[in-house]
Amino acid sequence: MTGTMRAPRSRGMLSGLLLVLLALWGGLIPFIGPYFDFGFGSSDAWVYSTDRLVLSILPAIAVGLGGLILMIAANRPVALFGGWLAALGALWFIVGNTVGQLWNSSIGQALGGEARRVTEQLTFFEGLGAVMLLLSALALGRFLVVGVREARQAERERRPVDDRAGPEYTAVPAQRKRGHFHLGRQKAGAGAGRERHTRH
């Protein structure tokens, strides 16, 4: 059971790294985007609001933390927790802007022309969240599957000590089963009796 709990760190390294990079984008782009006329609401950079906290910063923290866990975790349940945390943050990027309208949450209108506004909507929220969710799902799938090498390692750990011993140790019980040692002892005892009889 212990062997199946372990997983190689390389299994979630790439997905975790990409999730961290995307989380940095999702958390910082609302503040630095206005430098390039790319954003929502105000054209001034580094403008903080509660709506940006809820819709961009918090989900970015969840995705980034989940990605870090995937990068360093060598324990399967821990890695799965990181994957689910990243997936929940990604899901909020997708639906948060729509759900936020229920409490009149608004980050303002997208800047620029029609094509730019579509690009901003996708790269800030829905499209960004979809890519994050895909990477999270791939990482979860990799950690949910137990590799052949891990299964063999777990099987070796479950075996008794005698079964894990080498051939030089397993040969003794096999010979005892065939009665070789009993015959040898009988012959040795008979030889010793004849030697004592000859001396007398």
Side-chain angles (χ1 to χ4, degrees):
M1 188 68 177
T2 305
T4 59
M5 290 294 181
R6 291 196 297 267
R9 285 189 174 90
S10 59
R11 181 162 293 184
M13 182 66 68
L14 180 59
S15 298
L17 177 60
L18 292 176
L19 285 169
V20 170
L21 294 177
L22 290 174
L24 290 174
W25 169 273
L28 291 177
I29 191 61
F31 301 100
I32 63 176
Y35 284 125
F36 316 100
D37 293 328
F38 192 78
F40 287 81
S42 174
S43 58
D44 296 329
W46 301 105
V47 175
Y48 171 82
S49 66
T50 304
D51 294 332
R52 286 186 173 180
L53 172 67
V54 175
L55 299 178
S56 297
I57 299 175
L58 291 181
I61 291 175
V63 174
L65 182 58
L68 286 175
I69 293 174
L70 288 171
M71 289 177 63
I72 64 176
N75 182 276
R76 195 179 305 276
V78 174
L80 290 175
F81 170 76
W84 281 112
L85 181 62
L88 290 176
L91 185 62
W92 187 247
F93 269 112
I94 297 174
V95 304
N97 197 23
T98 302
V99 175
Q101 296 177 7
L102 298 176
W103 65 79
N104 297 323
S105 175
S106 175
I107 56 175
Q109 296 295 322
L111 303 177
E114 181 177 351
R116 180 179 295 182
R117 290 199 301 270
V118 172
T119 303
E120 289 166 346
Q121 185 69 38
L122 291 176
T123 56
F124 273 64
F125 298 108
E126 287 87 350
L128 176 64
V131 176
M132 289 175 170
L133 189 60
L134 175 62
L135 291 172
S136 302
L138 290 176
L140 286 170
R142 288 177 63 84
F143 280 103
L144 285 171
V145 175
V146 179
V148 176
R149 183 179 301 177
E150 300 163 44
R152 289 176 179 173
Q153 179 65 27
E155 182 64 26
R156 283 195 296 268
E157 292 179 356
R158 285 196 295 265
R159 290 177 184 172
V161 177
D162 291 341
D163 291 344
R164 294 201 301 264
E168 63 275 10
Y169 296 98
T170 56
V172 174
Q175 290 178 352
R176 287 178 179 173
K177 290 180 181 180
R178 292 194 294 267
H180 288 223
F181 275 72
H182 296 289
L183 293 175
R185 288 171 184 168
Q186 291 174 1
K187 291 179 180 180
R194 285 196 298 271
E195 183 178 354
R196 286 196 299 270
H197 180 73
T198 305
R199 287 180 181 177
H200 289 297

